[in-house]
Amino acid sequence: MTSYHFQYTESFARELDEKDSLSHFRYRFHFPKLNGKEAIYFCGNSLGLQPKSVKDHLEKELNNWADLAVDGHFHGEDAWFHVRKKSKPALAEIVGAHEHEVVAMNNLSVNLHLLMVSFYQPTAERYKIIVEAGAFPSDQYMLETQIKFHGLDPEKTLIELSPRAGEHTLRTEDIIAEIQKQGDSLAMVNMAGLQYYTGQLFDMKAITAAAHSVGALAGFDLAHAAGNAALKLHDWDVDFATWCSYKYLNSGPGNISGIFVHERFAERADLPRFGGWWGHDEGERFRMEKGFVPMFGADGWQLANTDVLGLAAHQASLDIFQEAGIENLRAKSEKLTAYLEFLIREISGESGVLEIITPKNPAERGCQLSLLIHRGGKAVFDEWYQHGVVGDWRNPNVIRLAPTPLYNSFLDVFRFAQILEQSLKKFA
Ligand SMILES: Cc1ncc(COP(=O)(O)O)c(C=O)c1O
């Protein structure tokens, strides 16, 4: 772990910003205002800020639509027929995959279900699923309804892992022990890559290896990991994953999701799946004939023609990611979050108002810190908001703060610290 020597002074924060080679990316984003002042926006874990370039990307497609109408599908430099291909290099880099292992399509919850159609094939012996307790509701509902769809009882099928008594996050050794315990009865591990409530980044490599060692599969919901944590899905041998683009990928509310399917399944036409014409062999698609022939790789899981306007906004952000470089972003992110953590500990100390529950080790977290509020409840969050801090409150009692390396500065973190210090006079 890198050890930093931080200071709680404005000049120190400004110095960190001056030395930060990514600091100029901040000016490529629109910041919301609170009380007439630019907000301290720490909510990229929920909705990433809008890149200023989104407008141009959208306008270009609106012009194509206006000028070319239906011909836009096949004409022009970015014919819509191929539009998904442009996003593949950046997506592959962001999740650590080959281009044929990823594709942008649908929305996250839809993709969670579609991937289960292929990868959850319970038998009388092997049917159980391991998930972290308190998974995001959409994942819980997806698992519950998928299990019922197969005529099984969620109570007997789903194993929800909770942290040990007195702990807030799961230990990798406990996840692995449970996988081994379930052995031949385990069909899959299907959990978050990065837990939305605690901010814990799971060891996907170790979890996948453990799942495979008992003959089970491993799939991950990367909503909070894509564009945030360093991911190597291919090398980790993960079977499948899906994510959304509106959090750290800054692509706009409700915008398109993405999937990863490991290349060992690329030609598995025998896998059960729900077919649609956009997943059908591209060369034959417009013959309009019977007989579904899935495309090679992740593309074979597509159903419908691509949301061109959504992808245009997505591409604006992906271009920025490629320019900044994932590794550079991750390096800055570790330092930025460590600075936030340092200041929170320094200022809140023994106040008893809050406790950071996100792991301390940067390898076990992304940029988000989750603060368990012991005193003051949501009033603490409201107080910060009144002073210009946009984080988010998650029931029952957590405030999530996510300083993102693309558009947050060390000065943002310092300013938040000043607000925190003031608010503690009220709640401590
Ligand atoms: C971890 C996680 N999974 C699933 C979802 C649901 O995403 P969508 O509404 O795009 O399907 C979210 C949304 O915030 C999420 O955070």
Side-chain angles (χ1 to χ4, degrees):
M1 255 200 281
T2 316
S3 70
Y4 301 105
H5 299 284
F6 292 132
Q7 295 170 23
Y8 179 27
T9 64
E10 183 170 338
S11 59
F12 182 79
R14 286 187 185 278
E15 200 182 311
L16 289 179
D17 282 329
E18 274 160 31
K19 288 186 189 149
D20 169 20
S21 62
L22 301 178
S23 59
H24 60 284
F25 281 102
R26 174 184 181 87
Y27 304 103
R28 307 255 199 110
F29 290 85
H30 291 289
F31 276 74
K33 289 207 162 99
L34 280 184
N35 306 323
K37 270 176 48 187
E38 191 173 278
I40 299 171
Y41 195 80
F42 287 162
C43 210
N45 56 302
S46 185
L47 183 70
L49 293 182
Q50 183 188 135
K52 291 178 181 167
S53 53
V54 161
K55 223 178 203 161
D56 287 344
H57 278 69
L58 280 175
E59 202 166 275
K60 186 174 159 207
E61 293 302 358
L62 288 173
N63 289 340
N64 283 341
W65 179 18
D67 297 341
L68 300 168
V70 72
D71 285 343
H73 283 296
F74 296 103
H75 296 287
E77 56 176 297
D78 290 320
W80 299 328
F81 184 75
H82 298 295
V83 74
R84 75 182 192 290
K85 292 181 185 164
K86 204 169 167 190
S87 59
K88 281 175 176 265
L91 288 176
E93 237 176 82
I94 287 166
V95 301
H98 294 304
E99 290 182 27
H100 58 259
E101 291 175 315
V102 295
V103 69
M105 61 184 217
N106 307 321
N107 285 86
L108 173 52
S109 301
V110 176
N111 287 337
L112 285 168
H113 277 291
L114 287 179
L115 290 166
M116 287 294 275
V117 167
S118 294
F119 295 108
Y120 185 53
Q121 294 301 315
T123 64
E125 295 77 36
R126 192 184 283 285
Y127 58 95
K128 291 185 187 163
I129 302 175
I130 287 180
V131 63
E132 84 273 19
F136 190 82
S138 208
D139 298 54
Q140 293 187 37
Y141 307 149
M142 177 278 289
L143 289 169
E144 178 191 331
T145 56
Q146 280 282 338
I147 289 167
K148 286 182 177 163
F149 176 76
H150 286 282
L152 299 171
D153 177 358
E155 290 288 317
K156 295 183 184 136
T157 307
L158 204 54
I159 298 156
E160 298 183 84
L161 299 184
S162 298
R164 293 183 188 190
E167 297 184 10
H168 296 293
T169 52
L170 284 167
R171 296 192 192 190
T172 306
E173 72 220 59
D174 291 350
I175 302 172
I176 290 174
E178 188 63 37
I179 291 170
Q180 285 163 350
K181 185 176 141 200
Q182 296 305 328
D184 291 345
S185 70
L186 188 68
M188 68 164 54
V189 177
N190 190 325
M191 55 195 289
L194 196 150
Q195 224 282 337
Y196 83 100
Y197 191 75
T198 64
Q200 179 180 17
L201 176 65
F202 294 116
D203 186 341
M204 287 177 255
K205 184 180 177 190
I207 292 168
T208 301
H212 289 174
S213 76
V214 299
L217 297 177
F220 296 94
D221 174 344
L222 301 178
H224 291 264
N228 179 21
L231 301 172
K232 298 251 172 294
L233 298 186
H234 176 86
D235 291 348
W236 295 341
D237 221 18
V238 166
D239 294 293
F240 64 92
T242 180
W243 56 89
C244 57
S245 67
Y246 46 79
K247 298 179 187 291
Y248 297 106
L249 295 179
N250 309 318
S251 303
N255 201 359
I256 200 159
S257 164
I259 66 161
F260 163 88
V261 178
H262 197 279
E263 73 176 354
R264 69 178 149 275
F265 304 109
E267 293 186 286
R268 289 283 306 276
D270 60 306
L271 280 178
R273 62 181 104 192
F274 288 165
W277 71 322
W278 230 251
H280 179 77
D281 178 12
E282 202 169 36
E284 304 288 314
R285 191 175 297 151
F286 282 89
R287 285 178 189 258
M288 316 306 243
E289 286 172 353
K290 275 183 183 244
F292 177 66
V293 181
M295 285 176 73
F296 180 81
D299 287 347
W301 271 267
Q302 295 174 99
L303 287 181
N305 74 91
T306 318
D307 171 0
V308 171
L309 297 179
L311 256 187
H314 194 25
Q315 195 64 45
S317 176
L318 294 179
D319 288 350
I320 298 175
F321 268 86
Q322 285 208 296
E323 203 182 322
I326 303 298
E327 279 171 20
N328 299 334
L329 286 167
R330 188 60 208 143
K332 173 176 172 184
S333 181
E334 281 190 14
K335 195 167 180 181
L336 195 61
T337 294
Y339 191 43
L340 177 63
E341 182 180 35
F342 165 81
L343 291 180
I344 291 172
R345 289 193 199 283
E346 190 83 354
I347 294 163
S348 70
E350 306 295 307
S351 71
V353 173
L354 57 88
E355 174 190 358
I356 300 174
I357 59 168
T358 305
K360 198 163 176 37
N361 180 357
E364 293 174 51
R365 69 186 185 196
C367 69
Q368 173 190 326
L369 292 182
S370 298
L371 315 182
L372 190 62
I373 304 301
H374 292 300
R375 266 216 297 278
K378 187 161 177 289
V380 176
F381 172 80
D382 294 338
E383 173 80 10
W384 295 354
Y385 186 81
Q386 286 310 316
H387 289 88
V389 180
V390 183
D392 69 4
W393 172 263
R394 277 287 165 265
N395 282 325
N397 49 5
V398 153
I399 295 176
R400 302 185 298 179
L401 299 175
T404 67
L406 260 180
Y407 51 74
N408 284 121
S409 63
F410 290 89
L411 193 61
D412 284 338
V413 172
F414 172 80
R415 290 196 168 127
F416 163 73
Q418 287 183 307
I419 294 164
L420 169 67
E421 190 174 9
Q422 282 304 313
S423 72
L424 286 180
K425 290 180 186 152
K426 215 167 175 177
F427 297 104

